[in-house]
Amino acid sequence: MRTIKVYHYDAFSNIPNMGNPAGVVLDGQNLTEEQMREVAEKVGFNETAFPLKSDIADLKIRYFTPGHEINLCGHATMATIYALKTKGLLGDKIDFTIETKAGNLPISLNSNDGLYITMRQATPQFQEFKGSLQELAHSMGIEEGDIETALPTLYGSTGTWTLLIPIKSLAAFKRMKPDNKLFPNILKEMPRASLHPFCLETYDSNAHMHARHFSSPFSGTIEDSVTGTASGVMGAYYSRYIKSDSLLHLLIEQGQEIGRNGSVQVTVTNGSGIEVTGNAVYVKEFEVSI
């Protein structure tokens, strides 16, 4: 039996118990992959991150859901970098790179008005969804007529694949009750993907898009409160299908329906350069035994 210290940070908010919780394990260098997954399962958050030494970047981060490892996680990156910086483990560096399974990604820090972390994401990719919109709507607890067909429903990734689903109105989001076990049979092209419904109607008048994020059943969680990687690919989708511009600054809100409001700043350059900016806040530390 081994005891592991876990630091709990909430990302994409500066208010504890808002935004998206992430576990950060700072002494995970000697843990095996299965031990990391077991820690993530015991922690129970959507993701737990393990910063490690890297031979090809300034540091390496591995990300685990309770069910499996994933290539990249935006909110857990925010939490990890915030933890390392505030604990003095990054020194004076404000620009550096992280090694992830989605590639080596640049990170920059800005300390104006609190610590903000900007993360460059992988080049966006899209893939057609050929499944049933009726089944898709049913799996989220809404009607097919709630899906906006003037915009495409399609898979997108800037490191982690999700299905982007345009929704007509904010009212539909309050009715959503996901049945995650149905997702793999509907997502025939990509059965391990998550669902990311969004709309252009928002609670915050300064926001451009509102979203929810329903986890793949393989991850062992139900819903992600504020999602960095999906917000990044939403920015690329916005640039491609809603408003094309050489430079877009977007504010994306998420989490209101589950009482964990948070926001993500997304910068899109020439449609394919995606940067996500957010903050984090320390909540507490605790121990799990594996």
Side-chain angles (χ1 to χ4, degrees), residues 14-32:
N14 58 5
I15 303 169
N17 301 311
M18 300 296 271
N20 201 348
V24 179
V25 175
L26 296 177
D27 56 353
Q29 196 71 40
N30 297 318
L31 295 175
T32 66

Side-chain angles (χ1 to χ4, degrees), residues 28-41:
Q29 196 71 40
N30 297 318
L31 295 175
T32 66
E33 182 173 312
E34 177 53 26
Q35 286 173 324
M36 290 181 187
R37 190 210 59 76
E38 190 179 345
V39 169
E41 183 179 16

